[in-house]
Each structure stands twice: as structure tokens, then as C-alpha cells.
Amino acid sequence: MTDLSLTILTETANDAQAIERLHERTFGPGRFVLSAYRIREHVDHLLDLSFTARIGTLLVGSVRQLPVVIGDTKALLLGPLTVEPPFRGRGVGRALLERALRDARAKGHRLVFLVGDETYYRRVGFEAVPQGRATMPGPVDYNRLLVAELADGAFDGVSGAIRPDWDVAK
Ligand SMILES: CC(C)(COP(=O)(O)OP(=O)(O)OC[C@H]1O[C@@H](n2cnc3c(N)ncnc32)[C@H](O)[C@@H]1OP(=O)(O)O)[C@@H](O)C(=O)NCCC(=O)NCCS
């Protein structure tokens, strides 16, 4: 765990600009073509399931989650997860992930998807989605599509297109 004096807080509307700058520095302008961004164009992230990491007042990391459906099943799409470069490798990312998943489970969510490196995310419970089981809009490296079950068996029998949850879409 981190030796930093880290606070994980629920994201607020006031954090938007600082997080956008962090995304710009981390992912650059190419981020908008990514599949996960295609979904984010249509549905806002859930502020109560998105978190910032701070050291004092300094924002050093962010994770967001937004509502999707796969087939007929409600789920969350996690990301982006970003940590300021000087603060990487000290547990900030893991602390953000653990809080995001814990609060999602507490609110009754059962499935979380993301596109990322399995070697990093498996330590908090993600595993690869079997090929052909789920699709996403736009270009996706399906080797990097991961799922975490927040309830036993939540992914059993679930398949289909991952798309915005229009019930809560903007
Ligand atoms: C990925 C990221 C969020 C990790 O944050 P972090 O605070 O450095 O992560 P933690 O401190 O919790 O974990 C660090 C560990 O993860 C490992 N790790 C970091 N990125 C990794 C990756 N892409 N694949 C595998 N392992 C990775 C580190 O080597 C380190 O390993 P160790 O614990 O054995 O030393 C951060 O590096 C980042 O912002 N990267 C750029 C944005 C990005 O790629 N986001 C993820 C895709 S949405």
C-alpha cells in the first residue's frame, strides 16, 4: 500500500477541468477515437461511482465509471483510470480501483467492464472476456476487454453488445 497521505474522494462537478487536463496529458488527442470514448459520448459517468485521489489539495489520480448494458444486463464501464506520472507505482491506481469496485458493489452493481491490461487489473479481480462474448462500438482490441464480477456468477449467461444504458443516458 502507499506511503503517501492519500485521500480518495467522490468526484464532484468542480473536478471536471483538472481531470480533463490529466486525461489530455495522459492519453493525448487520440483518446477520442477509442471505443470506450464512443460510449462516453452518449452517457455521462456516474459522479457517485467516480473518484479522485488527492494528496492534500493536489489531484493526483482519477477513475470514472459509467452505466452501460450488455445485451439486456446492466453493467458499469470503468475508465479512464489515470494517475499523474510522478505518483505512479505507489498504490494510487489500486486505491482508486478498490474504492470504485467496493462502492459499485455496495450500490448493487454486479458487473464491471473495462479495456486495459489484464496483468494490471487482474489483481483487483478482472479477467479477460472470452472472445466473441461481448462487442463494443468502434475499434477495440478484444484481448484487452476485461470483466469483473461483483457478485458470484454475475457474468454467467451474459453476452452481447456493450452500449450506453439509455435509461440513464444524457
Ligand atoms: C495504469 C496506472 C493507472 C497505474 O497507476 P499506479 O498508481 O501507478 O498503479 P499502482 O501503484 O496501483 O500499481 C503499480 C503496479 O502496477 C504495475 N503496472 C502499471 N501499469 C501496468 C500495466 N499497464 N500493465 C501491467 N502492470 C502495470 C506497476 O509495474 C506496479 O507493479 P508492482 O506493484 O509490482 O511494482 C498508471 O500507470 C497510469 O495512469 N497510466 C497511464 C494511463 C493508463 O494506461 N490507464 C489505464 C488504461 S485506462
Side-chain angles (χ1 to χ4, degrees):
M1 197 42 210
T2 176
D3 58 350
L4 302 169
S5 177
L6 193 68
T7 318
I8 305 293
L9 296 173
T10 307
E11 187 182 324
T12 72
N14 293 333
D15 296 322
Q17 278 194 340
I19 293 170
E20 188 51 37
R21 285 196 296 270
L22 179 59
H23 290 170
E24 168 64 36
R25 284 198 298 279
T26 304
F27 301 108
R31 68 194 185 279
F32 297 111
V33 304
L34 295 173
S35 183
Y37 270 90
R38 298 273 183 99
I39 291 181
R40 287 182 202 120
E41 280 171 16
H42 298 291
V43 56
D44 282 330
H45 58 287
L46 301 164
L47 282 180
D48 63 340
L49 286 175
S50 299
F51 299 92
T52 58
R54 288 177 187 276
I55 295 168
T57 57
L58 182 67
L59 188 144
V60 297
S62 159
V63 65
R64 285 176 163 169
Q65 298 189 93
L66 56 87
V68 293
V69 291
I70 169 167
D72 299 327
T73 304
K74 284 182 180 288
L76 293 171
L77 182 68
L78 185 146
L81 168 68
T82 327
V83 174
E84 285 285 4
F87 296 95
R88 289 180 189 169
R90 301 172 79 173
V92 176
R94 186 173 184 138
L96 282 165
L97 282 173
E98 287 177 348
R99 176 68 183 273
L101 297 176
R102 190 187 78 200
D103 281 31
R105 185 182 287 112
K107 289 180 186 293
H109 293 278
R110 292 163 53 83
L111 276 180
V112 184
F113 291 90
L114 65 78
V115 180
D117 291 330
E118 197 204 353
T119 45
Y120 179 69
Y121 289 101
R122 71 177 163 221
R123 64 187 89 182
V124 292
F126 283 87
E127 56 184 47
V129 171
Q131 293 287 331
R133 189 89 179 263
T135 58
M136 286 181 77
V140 188
D141 177 354
Y142 282 103
N143 294 314
R144 288 164 50 81
L145 180 59
L146 311 180
V147 62
E149 290 183 327
L150 303 182
D152 283 347
F155 195 41
D156 291 353
V158 174
S159 63
I162 298 173
R163 54 191 200 283
D165 184 347
W166 296 114
D167 290 350
V168 282
K170 60 187 175 186

